Amino acid sequence: MGWALIIIDMQEDFFEEGGVLSQKRNILTKNINDLSSFCRGKDIPVIWVRQEFHEDLHDAFLIMRKRRIQKTIKGTIGCQILEGLKKEPEDIEVLKKRYSAFFRTELDEILDNMNINKIIIAGINTHACVRMTTIDAYQRDMEIILAVDCINSYDENFHKDSLRYLSGYIAEILDNKDVIHRINQI
């Protein structure tokens, strides 16, 4: 059984100028590029998970429909992978409609077909999509590493609370240096 790197929601709309995440854009981009490059060098699959909705929001979650929130709309620049991130042709892409990368997507099938039972998670937002994906992976008896240098939220308190909650029984929280060390031991 092997490893995969799952990168969640690193999309332009979430890093809009002036938002809290816009200040973290460069460091997250660098750290994710470093980690994904390392993983590819170790033949660890890299899976990009993107949120994408139709313009009429019929496929969006309830609060988006109620408030007419136009984020990550299909065909817009805002729904694309963040400029500067190095997505390679061999990388896999999964589209999602809810917080968890597992909810009504082909991620389970992809991981099963590749014989993956251990995942490294990177991306945003720690308190929402990262947290839900981590919990769903835990419910599938997967070993999970949260690459803390590659994860963040628009709210620092939500980020810290989520890491504290997930740490220990659900996931291991490691910086890139320790993720690389762990994988090199295999």
Side-chain angles (χ1 to χ4, degrees):
M1 299 295 250
W3 287 91
L5 170 62
I6 298 176
I7 304 167
I8 301 170
D9 287 347
M10 293 299 294
Q11 296 170 258
E12 291 290 343
D13 270 352
F14 296 118
F15 290 84
E16 292 175 323
E17 200 60 41
V20 174
L21 284 173
S22 70
Q23 300 163 14
K24 301 170 183 175
R25 178 184 186 126
N26 292 338
I27 192 70
L28 283 171
T29 298
K30 180 197 176 310
N31 290 344
I32 288 172
N33 282 340
D34 290 348
L35 185 58
S36 60
S37 176
F38 168 79
C39 287
R40 286 184 204 99
K42 291 288 187 177
D43 292 323
I44 294 172
V46 176
I47 302 170
W48 297 85
V49 178
R50 279 191 314 112
Q51 178 175 280
E52 181 179 282
F53 302 110
H54 287 92
E55 188 174 359
D56 67 4
L57 300 176
H58 75 272
D59 55 344
F61 44 91
L62 184 60
I63 195 70
M64 288 184 73
R65 292 192 313 265
K66 281 185 171 184
R67 295 185 182 172
R68 303 293 306 154
I69 298 170
Q70 295 283 318
K71 287 245 188 227
T72 63
I73 302 301
K74 182 178 183 175
T76 66
I77 291 172
C79 114
Q80 298 307 310
I81 298 293
L82 200 60
E83 185 178 343
L85 285 172
K86 296 175 184 159
K87 183 175 178 255
E88 298 295 335
E90 69 269 16
D91 294 348
I92 300 164
E93 184 171 274
V94 173
L95 295 179
K96 69 179 180 66
K97 305 288 183 182
R98 297 297 185 266
Y99 285 169
S100 175
F102 289 97
F103 185 78
R104 295 184 182 165
T105 71
E106 66 276 10
L107 185 57
D108 272 321
E109 184 179 344
I110 290 167
L111 297 175
D112 285 346
N113 288 340
M114 294 172 27
N115 208 23
I116 302 292
N117 69 340
K118 300 172 211 150
I119 59 173
I120 304 159
I121 297 179
I124 60 160
N125 279 297
T126 315
H127 65 281
C129 300
V130 168
R131 183 174 175 153
M132 292 302 295
T133 300
T134 301
I135 291 169
D136 278 355
Y138 172 76
Q139 294 298 311
R140 288 162 170 79
D141 295 325
M142 293 184 171
E143 185 176 329
I144 307 151
I145 293 174
L146 294 179
V148 73
D149 296 340
C150 302
I151 294 174
N152 221 303
S153 289
Y154 63 80
D155 183 298
E156 190 65 26
N157 289 327
F158 289 171
H159 172 70
K160 289 177 182 175
D161 288 345
S162 293
L163 288 177
R164 188 171 42 255
Y165 172 75
L166 295 170
S167 179
Y169 289 111
I170 296 174
E172 194 170 2
I173 313 295
L174 300 176
D175 61 24
N176 275 5
K177 176 180 59 63
D178 290 333
V179 172
I180 289 168
H181 179 72
R182 168 73 53 80
I183 299 301
N184 278 332
Q185 290 180 327
I186 297 171

